[in-house]
Amino acid sequence: MHRTRIALPAILSTALAACTPIQQRGLPPETPVNAAATPVGSCPATASWSPAPPNSPDSLSDYQRSVDARNRNDWAFLARYRDANAALGDPRPGEARVVFMGNSITDAWAKSFPAMFPGKPYVGRGISGQTTPQMLVRFRQDVIDLKPRVVVILAGINDIAGNTGPASQQMIADNFKSMTEIAKANGIAVVLSSVLPAYDFPWRRGIGPAPKVVALNAWIKCYAAQTGAVYLDYYSKMVDARGGLSSEMASDGVHPTEAGYRIMAPLAEAAIQQALKK
């Protein structure tokens, strides 16, 4: 299958002077990273980063069709956690509630929270297939109204895949900014997670996400440093030689196995404890 070549900017240029350089290990050797950068604020952006093209109807998988049908009726899927949020109620006095906001990676992980974070008041609010604009729409209902001390945001991979249409890095960055600003305005500490490595998508083959993940993570890391958010680096602990996830970490190359989540859990816990001290 033909794999699209995408020219990316020099991430480690003067636009990143105030940020720690990100290691470009594991990228496919044929992927150029030498175009000029355009700032997003004072963090790097990719002016030549072409969003994934729209899906053609005949290319949709059964999974995508089910997601598209849901999106037509409740685009941000506000119905998913509405009843659970009402049943959860306010945190108990002294409780350091944490909400994990995300997509299918968070959704699947939340089922293991009692085992991986025993006794912790951690709440999963992931929804399969979601992109950052959908998360932004439900951010007040599924995060702010739950009154957590910390929110852990893991997002962006489905934007790169084009799940809700073509998305540039600027568009993704804007949604990260909005979620961060809303959380901080409500006294909630923010943990911004790196996007997990991905060499290819099982539902959208051949669009070459690996270098886009690197570029987006460079921006997230820089933005977190500028805003006082905690940067949670899953990427460097999980990436393989291709710039993706090994079969041990993720059987389909995207969604972590238990072994993958076991690596993520202590990293998340350390980031949460750091955020609680801010």
Side-chain angles (χ1 to χ4, degrees), residues 132-195:
T132 56
Q134 291 174 305
M135 294 179 203
L136 178 57
V137 169
R138 65 184 181 89
F139 198 76
R140 182 166 295 279
Q141 171 187 287
D142 290 346
V143 178
I144 304 302
D145 290 351
L146 303 186
K147 301 178 182 177
R149 291 272 304 279
V150 178
V151 60
V152 180
I153 302 172
L154 174 56
I157 195 66
N158 289 326
D159 301 66
I160 291 173
N163 278 21
T164 50
S168 66
Q169 182 173 318
Q170 177 72 60
M171 294 163 64
I172 303 170
D174 286 346
N175 293 324
F176 270 105
K177 287 180 179 181
S178 293
M179 286 188 280
T180 299
E181 290 167 1
I182 293 169
K184 289 171 72 70
N186 285 274
I188 300 169
V190 179
V191 174
L192 295 177
S193 308
S194 68
V195 180

Coordinates of all heavy atoms in Angstrom, one line a residue, residues 132-195:
T132 N -9.9 15.9 19.8 CA -9.9 17.1 20.8 C -11.1 18.0 20.7 O -11.5 18.5 21.7 CB -8.6 17.8 20.6 OG1 -8.4 18.3 19.3 CG2 -7.4 17.0 21.0
P133 N -11.6 18.3 19.5 CA -12.8 19.2 19.5 C -14.0 18.5 20.2 O -14.8 19.2 20.9 CB -13.1 19.4 18.0 CG -12.4 18.4 17.3 CD -11.2 18.0 18.1
Q134 N -14.2 17.2 20.1 CA -15.2 16.5 20.8 C -15.0 16.6 22.4 O -15.9 16.8 23.1 CB -15.4 15.1 20.4 CG -15.9 15.0 18.9 CD -15.8 13.5 18.5 OE1 -14.8 12.9 18.5 NE2 -17.0 13.0 18.0
M135 N -13.8 16.4 22.8 CA -13.4 16.5 24.2 C -13.7 17.9 24.7 O -14.1 18.0 25.9 CB -12.0 16.0 24.4 CG -11.7 14.6 24.1 SD -10.0 14.2 24.4 CE -9.8 12.7 23.3
L136 N -13.3 18.9 23.9 CA -13.6 20.2 24.4 C -15.0 20.5 24.6 O -15.4 21.2 25.6 CB -13.0 21.2 23.3 CG -13.2 22.7 23.6 CD1 -12.6 23.1 25.0 CD2 -12.5 23.5 22.5
V137 N -15.9 20.0 23.8 CA -17.3 20.2 23.9 C -17.8 19.6 25.2 O -18.7 20.2 25.9 CB -18.1 19.6 22.7 CG1 -19.6 19.6 23.0 CG2 -17.8 20.4 21.5
R138 N -17.3 18.4 25.6 CA -17.8 17.8 26.8 C -16.9 18.1 28.0 O -17.1 17.5 29.1 CB -18.0 16.3 26.6 CG -16.7 15.5 26.3 CD -17.0 14.0 26.0 NE -15.8 13.2 25.7 CZ -15.1 12.6 26.7 NH1 -15.5 12.6 27.9 NH2 -14.1 11.9 26.3
F139 N -16.0 18.9 27.9 CA -15.0 19.2 29.0 C -15.7 19.7 30.3 O -15.3 19.3 31.4 CB -13.9 20.1 28.5 CG -12.7 20.1 29.3 CD1 -11.8 19.1 29.2 CD2 -12.4 21.1 30.3 CE1 -10.6 19.0 30.0 CE2 -11.2 21.1 31.0 CZ -10.3 20.0 30.9
R140 N -16.6 20.6 30.1 CA -17.3 21.1 31.3 C -18.1 20.0 32.0 O -18.0 19.8 33.2 CB -18.2 22.3 31.0 CG -18.9 22.9 32.2 CD -19.4 24.3 31.9 NE -18.4 25.2 31.6 CZ -17.6 25.9 32.6 NH1 -17.8 25.6 33.8 NH2 -16.7 26.7 32.2
Q141 N -18.9 19.3 31.3 CA -19.7 18.2 31.8 C -18.9 17.1 32.5 O -19.2 16.6 33.6 CB -20.6 17.6 30.8 CG -21.4 16.4 31.2 CD -22.2 15.7 30.1 OE1 -23.2 16.2 29.7 NE2 -21.7 14.5 29.7
D142 N -17.8 16.6 31.7 CA -17.1 15.4 32.1 C -15.9 15.7 32.9 O -15.2 14.7 33.4 CB -16.8 14.6 30.9 CG -18.0 14.0 30.3 OD1 -19.1 14.0 30.9 OD2 -17.9 13.5 29.1
V143 N -15.5 17.0 33.1 CA -14.3 17.3 33.9 C -14.6 18.4 34.9 O -14.6 18.1 36.1 CB -13.1 17.7 33.0 CG1 -11.9 18.1 33.9 CG2 -12.7 16.6 32.1
I144 N -15.0 19.6 34.5 CA -15.1 20.7 35.4 C -16.2 20.4 36.5 O -16.0 20.6 37.7 CB -15.5 22.0 34.7 CG1 -14.4 22.3 33.6 CG2 -15.6 23.1 35.6 CD1 -13.0 22.4 34.1
D145 N -17.3 19.9 36.0 CA -18.5 19.7 37.0 C -18.2 18.6 38.0 O -18.9 18.4 39.0 CB -19.7 19.3 36.2 CG -20.3 20.6 35.4 OD1 -19.8 21.7 35.7 OD2 -21.2 20.4 34.6
L146 N -17.2 17.8 37.7 CA -16.8 16.7 38.7 C -15.9 17.2 39.8 O -15.6 16.5 40.7 CB -16.1 15.5 38.0 CG -17.0 14.9 36.8 CD1 -16.3 13.6 36.3 CD2 -18.4 14.5 37.3
K147 N -15.4 18.4 39.7 CA -14.6 19.1 40.7 C -13.3 18.4 41.1 O -13.0 18.2 42.3 CB -15.4 19.4 41.9 CG -16.7 20.3 41.6 CD -17.5 20.5 42.9 CE -18.8 21.3 42.5 NZ -19.6 21.5 43.7
P148 N -12.6 17.9 40.1 CA -11.3 17.2 40.4 C -10.2 18.2 40.9 O -10.3 19.4 40.6 CB -10.9 16.6 39.1 CG -11.4 17.5 38.1 CD -12.7 18.1 38.6
R149 N -9.2 17.7 41.5 CA -8.0 18.5 41.8 C -7.1 18.5 40.5 O -6.4 19.5 40.3 CB -7.3 17.9 43.0 CG -8.0 18.0 44.3 CD -7.6 19.3 45.0 NE -6.2 19.5 45.2 CZ -5.5 18.9 46.2 NH1 -6.1 18.1 47.0 NH2 -4.2 19.1 46.3
V150 N -7.1 17.4 39.8 CA -6.2 17.3 38.6 C -7.0 16.7 37.4 O -7.9 15.8 37.7 CB -5.0 16.4 38.9 CG1 -4.1 16.2 37.7 CG2 -4.2 16.9 40.1
V151 N -6.7 17.2 36.2 CA -7.2 16.5 35.0 C -6.0 16.0 34.2 O -5.0 16.7 34.1 CB -8.1 17.4 34.2 CG1 -7.3 18.7 33.7 CG2 -8.6 16.6 33.0
V152 N -6.0 14.8 33.8 CA -5.0 14.2 32.9 C -5.5 14.1 31.5 O -6.5 13.3 31.3 CB -4.5 12.8 33.5 CG1 -3.4 12.2 32.6 CG2 -4.0 12.9 34.9
I153 N -5.0 14.8 30.6 CA -5.5 14.8 29.2 C -4.6 14.0 28.3 O -3.4 14.3 28.2 CB -5.6 16.3 28.7 CG1 -6.5 17.1 29.6 CG2 -6.2 16.3 27.3 CD1 -6.6 18.6 29.3
L154 N -5.2 13.0 27.7 CA -4.5 12.2 26.7 C -5.3 12.2 25.4 O -6.3 11.6 25.3 CB -4.3 10.8 27.2 CG -3.7 9.8 26.2 CD1 -2.3 10.2 25.7 CD2 -3.5 8.4 26.8
A155 N -4.8 13.0 24.4 CA -5.6 13.2 23.2 C -4.7 13.5 22.0 O -3.5 13.8 22.2 CB -6.5 14.4 23.5
G156 N -5.3 13.5 20.9 CA -4.6 14.0 19.7 C -4.4 12.9 18.6 O -4.3 13.2 17.4
I157 N -4.3 11.6 19.0 CA -4.0 10.6 18.0 C -5.2 10.5 17.0 O -4.9 10.3 15.8 CB -3.7 9.2 18.7 CG1 -3.1 8.3 17.7 CG2 -5.0 8.6 19.3 CD1 -1.7 8.7 17.3
N158 N -6.4 10.6 17.5 CA -7.5 10.5 16.5 C -7.7 11.7 15.6 O -8.2 11.6 14.5 CB -8.8 10.2 17.3 CG -8.9 8.8 17.9 OD1 -8.4 7.9 17.3 ND2 -9.5 8.7 19.1
D159 N -7.2 12.9 16.1 CA -7.1 14.1 15.3 C -6.2 13.8 14.1 O -6.5 14.1 12.9 CB -6.6 15.3 16.0 CG -7.5 15.6 17.2 OD1 -7.6 14.8 18.2 OD2 -8.1 16.7 17.2
I160 N -5.0 13.2 14.4 CA -4.0 12.9 13.4 C -4.6 11.9 12.4 O -4.4 12.0 11.2 CB -2.7 12.3 14.0 CG1 -2.0 13.4 14.8 CG2 -1.8 11.7 13.0 CD1 -0.8 12.9 15.6
A161 N -5.4 11.0 12.9 CA -6.1 10.0 12.0 C -7.2 10.6 11.2 O -7.7 10.0 10.2 CB -6.6 8.8 12.8
G162 N -7.7 11.8 11.6 CA -8.8 12.5 10.8 C -10.1 11.9 11.1 O -11.0 12.0 10.3
N163 N -10.3 11.5 12.4 CA -11.6 10.8 12.7 C -12.8 11.7 12.6 O -13.9 11.2 12.3 CB -11.6 10.3 14.2 CG -10.9 8.9 14.3 OD1 -10.1 8.6 13.4 ND2 -11.1 8.2 15.4
T164 N -12.7 13.0 12.8 CA -13.8 13.9 12.7 C -13.5 15.0 11.6 O -13.9 16.1 11.6 CB -14.1 14.6 14.0 OG1 -12.9 15.2 14.6 CG2 -14.8 13.7 15.0
G165 N -12.7 14.5 10.6 CA -12.3 15.4 9.5 C -10.9 15.9 9.6 O -10.2 15.7 10.6
P166 N -10.3 16.5 8.5 CA -8.9 16.9 8.5 C -8.6 17.9 9.7 O -9.4 18.8 9.9 CB -8.8 17.6 7.2 CG -9.9 17.0 6.3 CD -11.0 16.7 7.2
A167 N -7.5 17.7 10.3 CA -7.1 18.5 11.5 C -5.6 18.8 11.4 O -4.8 17.9 11.3 CB -7.4 17.8 12.8
S168 N -5.3 20.1 11.4 CA -3.9 20.6 11.4 C -3.4 20.6 12.8 O -4.2 20.5 13.8 CB -3.8 22.0 10.8 OG -4.4 22.9 11.6
Q169 N -2.1 20.7 13.0 CA -1.5 20.8 14.3 C -2.0 22.1 15.0 O -2.2 22.1 16.2 CB 0.0 20.8 14.3 CG 0.6 20.9 15.7 CD 2.1 20.7 15.7 OE1 2.6 19.8 15.0 NE2 2.8 21.5 16.5
Q170 N -2.2 23.2 14.3 CA -2.7 24.4 14.8 C -4.1 24.2 15.5 O -4.4 24.6 16.6 CB -2.8 25.5 13.8 CG -3.4 26.8 14.3 CD -2.5 27.5 15.2 OE1 -1.4 27.9 14.8 NE2 -2.9 27.8 16.4
M171 N -5.0 23.4 14.8 CA -6.3 23.1 15.3 C -6.2 22.3 16.5 O -7.0 22.6 17.5 CB -7.1 22.4 14.2 CG -7.4 23.2 13.0 SD -7.9 22.3 11.5 CE -9.5 21.6 12.1
I172 N -5.4 21.3 16.6 CA -5.2 20.5 17.7 C -4.7 21.3 18.9 O -5.2 21.2 20.0 CB -4.3 19.3 17.4 CG1 -4.8 18.4 16.3 CG2 -4.2 18.4 18.7 CD1 -3.9 17.4 15.8
A173 N -3.7 22.1 18.6 CA -3.1 23.0 19.7 C -4.1 23.9 20.3 O -4.2 24.1 21.5 CB -1.9 23.8 19.1
D174 N -5.0 24.5 19.4 CA -6.0 25.4 20.0 C -6.9 24.6 20.9 O -7.3 25.2 22.0 CB -6.8 25.9 18.8 CG -6.1 27.0 18.0 OD1 -5.1 27.5 18.5 OD2 -6.6 27.3 16.9
N175 N -7.3 23.4 20.7 CA -8.2 22.6 21.6 C -7.5 22.3 22.9 O -8.1 22.3 23.9 CB -8.7 21.4 20.8 CG -9.6 21.7 19.7 OD1 -10.4 22.7 19.8 ND2 -9.5 20.9 18.6
F176 N -6.2 21.9 22.8 CA -5.4 21.7 24.0 C -5.4 23.0 24.8 O -5.5 23.0 26.1 CB -4.0 21.3 23.7 CG -3.8 19.8 23.6 CD1 -3.7 19.2 22.3 CD2 -3.8 19.0 24.7 CE1 -3.5 17.8 22.2 CE2 -3.6 17.6 24.6 CZ -3.4 17.0 23.3
K177 N -5.1 24.1 24.2 CA -5.1 25.4 24.9 C -6.4 25.7 25.6 O -6.4 26.1 26.8 CB -4.8 26.5 23.9 CG -3.4 26.6 23.4 CD -3.2 27.8 22.5 CE -1.8 27.9 22.0 NZ -1.7 29.1 21.1
S178 N -7.5 25.5 24.9 CA -8.8 25.8 25.5 C -9.1 24.9 26.7 O -9.6 25.4 27.7 CB -9.9 25.6 24.4 OG -9.8 26.6 23.4
M179 N -8.9 23.6 26.6 CA -9.1 22.7 27.7 C -8.2 23.1 28.9 O -8.7 23.1 30.1 CB -8.8 21.2 27.3 CG -10.0 20.7 26.4 SD -9.8 18.9 26.1 CE -8.6 18.8 24.8
T180 N -7.0 23.4 28.6 CA -6.0 23.8 29.7 C -6.5 25.1 30.4 O -6.5 25.2 31.6 CB -4.6 24.0 29.1 OG1 -4.2 22.8 28.6 CG2 -3.7 24.4 30.2
E181 N -6.9 26.1 29.6 CA -7.3 27.4 30.1 C -8.6 27.2 31.0 O -8.7 27.8 32.0 CB -7.5 28.4 29.0 CG -6.2 28.8 28.4 CD -6.4 29.5 27.1 OE1 -7.6 29.8 26.7 OE2 -5.4 29.9 26.4
I182 N -9.5 26.4 30.5 CA -10.8 26.2 31.2 C -10.5 25.5 32.6 O -11.0 25.9 33.6 CB -11.8 25.4 30.4 CG1 -12.3 26.2 29.2 CG2 -13.0 25.0 31.2 CD1 -13.0 25.3 28.2
A183 N -9.6 24.5 32.5 CA -9.3 23.8 33.8 C -8.6 24.8 34.8 O -9.0 24.8 35.9 CB -8.4 22.6 33.5
K184 N -7.6 25.5 34.3 CA -6.9 26.4 35.2 C -7.8 27.5 35.8 O -7.7 27.9 36.9 CB -5.7 27.0 34.5 CG -4.6 26.0 34.2 CD -3.6 26.6 33.2 CE -2.7 27.6 33.9 NZ -1.8 27.0 34.9
A185 N -8.8 28.0 35.0 CA -9.7 29.0 35.4 C -10.6 28.5 36.5 O -11.2 29.2 37.3 CB -10.5 29.5 34.3
N186 N -10.7 27.1 36.6 CA -11.6 26.5 37.6 C -10.7 25.9 38.7 O -11.2 25.0 39.5 CB -12.5 25.5 37.0 CG -13.6 26.1 36.3 OD1 -14.7 26.4 36.8 ND2 -13.5 26.3 35.0
G187 N -9.5 26.2 38.8 CA -8.6 25.8 39.9 C -8.2 24.3 39.8 O -7.9 23.7 40.8
I188 N -8.2 23.8 38.6 CA -7.8 22.4 38.4 C -6.4 22.3 37.8 O -6.2 23.0 36.8 CB -8.8 21.7 37.4 CG1 -10.2 21.7 38.1 CG2 -8.4 20.3 37.2 CD1 -11.4 21.3 37.1
A189 N -5.5 21.6 38.4 CA -4.2 21.4 37.9 C -4.3 20.5 36.6 O -5.1 19.6 36.5 CB -3.3 20.8 38.9
V190 N -3.4 20.8 35.7 CA -3.4 20.1 34.4 C -2.2 19.2 34.1 O -1.1 19.7 34.3 CB -3.6 21.1 33.2 CG1 -3.6 20.4 31.9 CG2 -4.8 22.0 33.4
V191 N -2.4 18.0 33.7 CA -1.4 17.1 33.2 C -1.6 16.9 31.8 O -2.7 16.4 31.4 CB -1.4 15.8 34.0 CG1 -0.3 14.8 33.4 CG2 -1.1 16.0 35.5
L192 N -0.7 17.3 30.9 CA -0.8 17.1 29.5 C 0.1 15.9 29.1 O 1.3 15.9 29.2 CB -0.3 18.3 28.7 CG -1.2 19.6 29.0 CD1 -0.6 20.8 28.2 CD2 -2.6 19.3 28.5
S193 N -0.6 14.8 28.6 CA 0.1 13.6 28.2 C 0.7 13.7 26.8 O 0.0 14.3 25.9 CB -0.8 12.4 28.3 OG -1.4 12.4 29.6
S194 N 1.9 13.1 26.6 CA 2.3 12.9 25.2 C 1.4 12.0 24.5 O 0.8 11.1 25.1 CB 3.7 12.3 25.2 OG 3.7 11.0 25.7
V195 N 1.3 12.1 23.2 CA 0.6 11.2 22.4 C 1.4 9.9 22.3 O 2.6 10.0 22.2 CB 0.3 11.8 21.0 CG1 -0.4 10.8 20.1 CG2 -0.4 13.1 21.1

